[in-house]
Amino acid sequence: MSLIQVSDLSFTYEGNYVPVFEHVSFRIDTDWKLGFTGRNGRGKTTFLRILQGMYEYEGHISASVEFDYFPFAIPDEGADVLEIVLGLMPDVEFWQIKRELKKLRVKEEALYRSLNTLSYGERTKVLLAALFARENRFLLIDEPTNHLDLEGRRLLGEYLAQKKGFILVSHDRAFLDSCVDHMVSINKTDIQVQKGNFSAWYENKERQDAFEMARQEQLKKEIGRLLQAASQTKSWGDQVESTKIGKKSVNYERGRDYVGEKSRRMQQRRKNLERRQERATQEKSGLLKNVETAEDLRLEPLSYHKEVLVTARELTVGYGGKAVCGPVSFQIERGDILLLSGANGCGKSSIMRSILDEASGGGMQDDGMSGSGEMEPFQRTPVKMGGVLQVGSGLKISWIPQNTDHLSDSLEAYARKIGADITLMKALLRKMDFSRELFDRPLESYSEGQKKKVLLGGSLCQRAHLYVWDEPLNYIDIYSRMQIEELIRRWKPTLLCVEHDRAFGENVGAKTVFMA
């Protein structure tokens, strides 16, 4: 057993005036399986880079292990996987890689294929297998589940549960529960470490937040009573002081000493009340510093004039004459929350794009929204190869693609491009924990989670009959996921979605279409 000790860590990006970390101290055991959580932009990836020695910082970090980071840069993605791994990690033996791949249920033949021919799930598994094949390393695993299907997440969770010595950044609640035994949380004012999986950590946080909110209310009332008592005591003290002279002067036989003693006691009581008030005020100011607020989001979907918006019967689509999905049948009715589920590469995104293409009359767009602004055509529009696809006439669709690469320039420019009200969009993003300082920065400088929130904010600004979201929660923090879930439950939009977060589907009461 050894420790990673972080002492008085402070870090601020050059040109920024708000520190990412300020005088943070904690320690973790190198045998722990740590889940790492926190709001988007709080510094999770930044901390991992600090551990790797990529940034200069103030304070001290001591560790007896070397750090490996996932995902790591690949110099030539066209090379065979085995060539890449042995080139980057010459200390790894071939049999060690084979052993790890077997645990992840990846066939050995994947090692002899070029990396760029592997699916995202295969790529994630082989690169993680290579890292875990190394000895005396502590792994920093940064969001490995993005784009992984449900089965891929389950297998990866089972694999990580057998390992030790890693920090795992993930916003998938079920995935974290399956494989971690400690949680590290980046809060508003500190970093905390706690034993247990995500559910245990979240339950404790809710309990602590509830206690602090109740205690704050109690202190508010107590401070009010103390203020009232202090005011009354002051009034009484002033009355006693007034009896020393003038018409209210007491008889000499009662003695001025009695009046002086009574006045002194009144002043002492007043000071005691002030001290109690000060202690209560200080305690109150120490509460709620790490309570995360998640304001309700608003959405006003349009109501379509027919019950059925989309019908697919034995639908097959493909590219260049090659089918990418087997026949699939489903129907989207008003108010439906429909999830397309299946393995990576089974054609879920292609089905969604086919619906968009049909609704737009063959001029499909892939920059985040349809029907507003100047849009760039999607370069690989899927072609219907069989079956029936019927999309209601005049159907307005709001579309969120998987990719955020098209986001550039300023937030205002993007809002103009998609025809969104910038004031409304900023208000929505503020509710999703955007700082005002972010609004002045170019979109290219945003984290992936922040970029996804821009796409979500843009979609929520649009009034549409149907919302089509392709993996909208990739990189999105847990609190914002809960906000989106509450939004869907409250406003009941008609939604077609691809999302592999199991908790999301359960929490919104989605119907699932399984694709082979």
Side-chain angles (χ1 to χ4, degrees), residues 75-92:
D76 180 10
E77 296 195 0
D80 287 352
V81 173
L82 186 60
E83 179 185 343
I84 291 170
V85 170
L86 295 180
L88 293 174
M89 306 169 195
D91 55 323
V92 174

Side-chain angles (χ1 to χ4, degrees), residues 143-176:
E143 304 210 45
T145 59
N146 289 325
H147 309 296
L148 271 185
D149 57 48
L150 282 171
E151 179 63 11
R153 293 182 187 210
R154 186 185 68 79
L155 288 174
L156 184 57
E158 290 177 356
Y159 176 74
L160 292 177
Q162 302 168 22
K163 299 298 181 180
K164 62 181 180 180
F166 61 78
I167 291 178
L168 168 65
V169 178
S170 178
H171 302 299
D172 186 320
R173 291 151 283 185
F175 179 69
L176 286 170

